[in-house]
Amino acid sequence: MHAAVRAWLLAALALLLAGCAVQTETLRRAPPADLAPRVELAGTPFFPQTEHHCGPAALATVLAGVAPQATPALLGDQVFLPARTGTLQLEMIAGARRHGAVATRLPGTLEAVLRELQAGHPVVVLQNLGLSWYPLWHYAVAIGYDLASGDMLLRSGTTERMVMPLRTFEHTWVRAGSWAFVALPPGRWPATAEENAVVEAAVGFERAAAPAQAVIAYRSALQRWGGSLSLQMGLGNSLYASGDKAGAASAFEGAARLHPASAPAWMNLASTRAELGQREAALAAAREAVQVAEPAWAERAQALLQALSRPDAQTNDSASRR
């Protein structure tokens, strides 16, 4: 949006959104003891947006430390949709992954945004600077906050350091679905990340990144969510894709031992052991798969066991499911 239009809308919103901003009031009245009262990531770069290109500008801001080649102009060519005169959320996430960053959705709470800032992570946020019946979508990057003054600090539009009342930010952000994400190098995760969001982020990153980079992301995620079948299977698949079949077999075995009712884990283990020439171990894993397979997997598990039972059998038929 043009600066004048945006300023007018924000002034109007300050009057229209006079109702209680519940999260803001709670955080200011009784802030968590371990939450810093004030944070500003002053070193965050600034890319003033061109018309309708708030998405590329915001994305370039959070990618600066991971992929400095990802300029707003380059990202505009990749994520901007002329037919929509904007950028979809899925394109923002995909754009980050395309440039080697792990993009992870945050929990939809204001506290989560503040905690990420405290952890040193600029946060891409989607705001509705209009009204429910006349939305004006806008991406900005949260770079700080001040609980005492009740302000949120943003890289926004053509303003390098926008000071927005927290209560106004809360309303505009919640009105846009409380959507936010951080983009970090593989091996690092948001301070407030939840397991489901991490699995989605890791799987999405695996599809866009080199296998060795995906391995880094999965290994680091498993340090915090070691019981996740999806992450363990993803690690095995990425190790296999990188050419490390022994490492992949170890990962699939870990998945099968932690989740013995998972037929795909046993099947991937059986297939990989067979390719390593470990026929007896492959057969044992295939038998486990047949025993635990649900109807959806029973036929494939039985076929794998039969294939491995043939002399000198090898197979590439891994389940490849998380």
Side-chain angles (χ1 to χ4, degrees), residues 53 68 89 101 115 135 173 214 228 232 292 309:
H53 274 226
Q89 291 132 290
R115 287 193 178 278
W173 183 55
S228 170
Q232 193 73 33
V292 302
S309 298

Side-chain angles (χ1 to χ4, degrees), residues 214-322:
V215 167
I216 294 172
Y218 280 119
R219 285 199 191 282
S220 61
L222 282 164
Q223 291 177 4
R224 286 172 64 177
W225 297 276
S228 170
L229 173 61
S230 297
L231 293 175
Q232 193 73 33
M233 291 288 280
L235 175 61
N237 289 335
S238 297
L239 286 166
Y240 185 95
S242 71
D244 184 0
K245 292 184 181 180
S250 178
F252 292 138
E253 183 168 14
R257 299 302 178 192
L258 283 172
H259 302 272
S262 171
W266 289 110
M267 291 170 66
N268 277 15
L269 176 59
S271 297
T272 309
R273 291 288 188 210
E275 292 185 39
L276 290 168
Q278 301 167 359
R279 186 167 184 272
E280 292 305 316
L283 282 169
R287 293 188 188 103
E288 291 286 350
V290 169
Q291 289 182 6
V292 302
E294 298 178 354
W297 289 103
E299 185 175 345
R300 288 188 64 181
Q302 187 63 49
L304 177 60
L305 177 58
Q306 291 175 355
L308 292 176
S309 298
R310 294 194 298 268
D312 302 321
Q314 276 196 351
T315 179
N316 290 314
D317 183 25
S318 68
S320 298
R321 297 291 191 272
R322 296 179 173 80

Side-chain angles (χ1 to χ4, degrees), residues 1 16 19 34 42 67 117 138 171 240 296 315:
M1 287 181 293
L16 289 169
D34 60 343
L117 295 171
H138 178 66
H171 279 294
Y240 185 95
T315 179

Side-chain angles (χ1 to χ4, degrees), residues 3-47:
V5 175
R6 184 170 59 253
W8 180 86
L9 282 168
L10 290 175
L13 281 169
L15 297 175
L16 289 169
L17 303 178
C20 182
V22 177
Q23 296 180 72
T24 297
E25 296 305 317
T26 299
L27 286 168
R28 296 192 68 196
R29 184 176 62 253
D34 60 343
L35 183 65
R38 186 181 187 280
V39 168
E40 181 171 0
L41 306 180
T44 306
F46 173 59
F47 299 97

